[in-house]
Amino acid sequence: MERRWGNQRIELTIGDITEQNVDILVNAANSRLAGGGGVDGAIHAAGGPSIMEETRHRYPHGCPTGSAVISSAGNLSARYVIHAVGPIWQGGHAHEEKELESAYKRCFELAATHDATSIALPALSCGAYGYPLDLAAEIALKTSILWFKFHTQPRLIRFVLYSEGPYSVFADVLEELTGPS
Ligand code: AR6
């Protein structure tokens, strides 16, 4: 599914984030940038050890929740990996919404400053961190649409959902926000 605004677009696809042919891949990292399972495990496994070596060196204090840092992409075909730290879901009253929004926004800012045309992101916080998918999809997509209102880069924002279930949640929310195609 996709929606266009001039020469910019949001795409939703089912797949593996590591296989996307884009300028920037977004990792669902933790604040210690210590690696882990899910997207983080897949990105480091496919990208090789140079990514972790670089983030250790450049960001020895990690990355706060609600923010993101950038590194090169090792063996991956992308130019960069952005390591974004979404919030752990705690019921919705611990600033999770603001933190998730700012994590996505920081990804788009870094993409723009690194002159990236295309970025692929997973559903941040929706796995190990337990964020309800429908609420997370609304934040992810609203933040993307708002970004396009005021910025020309990146031109493609692609959300890569791991299976049919999360894909259809994102698709329903995108349709609610933009109307039927
Ligand atoms: N490609 C696309 N999506 C994926 C992939 C993949 N290869 N693998 C999982 N997903 P998660 P979080 C989906 O847990 O919730 C790690 O241990 C998954 O189904 O990767 O932000 C880190 O080190 C879910 O919908 O990220 C952190 O400690 C979404 O991606 C912590 O988990 C995000 O799931 C971060 O947790």
Side-chain angles (χ1 to χ4, degrees):
M1 177 177 181
E2 69 170 39
R3 286 291 185 278
R4 287 176 180 271
W5 292 263
N7 68 0
Q8 292 178 293
R9 68 187 196 278
I10 292 176
E11 275 181 16
L12 306 181
T13 187
I14 298 176
D16 184 332
I17 190 89
T18 62
E19 290 170 8
Q20 306 302 310
N21 193 11
V22 288
D23 292 334
I24 294 190
L25 298 181
V26 174
N27 182 17
N30 53 62
S31 57
R32 291 177 298 125
L33 303 177
V39 171
D40 208 357
I43 286 200
H44 285 292
S50 67
I51 298 178
M52 185 76 80
E53 279 159 25
E54 181 179 336
T55 55
R56 273 213 188 101
H57 179 71
R58 286 177 71 181
Y59 312 107
H61 304 295
C63 171
T65 301
S67 192
V69 296
I70 193 161
S71 74
S72 53
N75 303 327
L76 294 160
S77 67
R79 281 166 52 209
Y80 301 103
V81 172
I82 290 176
H83 307 267
V85 184
I88 299 172
W89 179 253
Q90 296 175 64
H93 300 289
H95 313 293
E96 295 98 316
E97 187 175 331
K98 278 281 152 232
E99 287 173 346
L100 188 59
E101 182 189 332
S102 69
Y104 277 117
K105 204 171 152 219
R106 188 73 191 123
C107 291
F108 302 145
E109 284 168 2
L110 283 167
T113 55
H114 289 76
D115 205 26
T117 301
S118 53
I119 182 169
L121 308 98
L124 293 174
S125 289
C126 290
Y129 282 180
Y131 211 109
L133 254 176
D134 53 341
L135 302 182
E138 196 177 327
I139 293 165
L141 293 166
K142 276 186 176 167
T143 308
S144 305
I145 293 167
L146 189 63
W147 183 264
F148 279 166
K149 270 204 166 116
F150 299 104
H151 305 87
T152 55
Q153 291 276 89
R155 292 216 298 265
L156 167 64
I157 295 176
R158 177 185 295 159
F159 289 96
V160 182
L161 293 319
Y162 212 31
S163 59
E164 186 68 46
Y167 175 86
S168 62
V169 173
F170 267 68
D172 287 350
V173 172
L174 186 55
E175 190 159 312
E176 265 167 38
L177 293 173
T178 60
S181 56

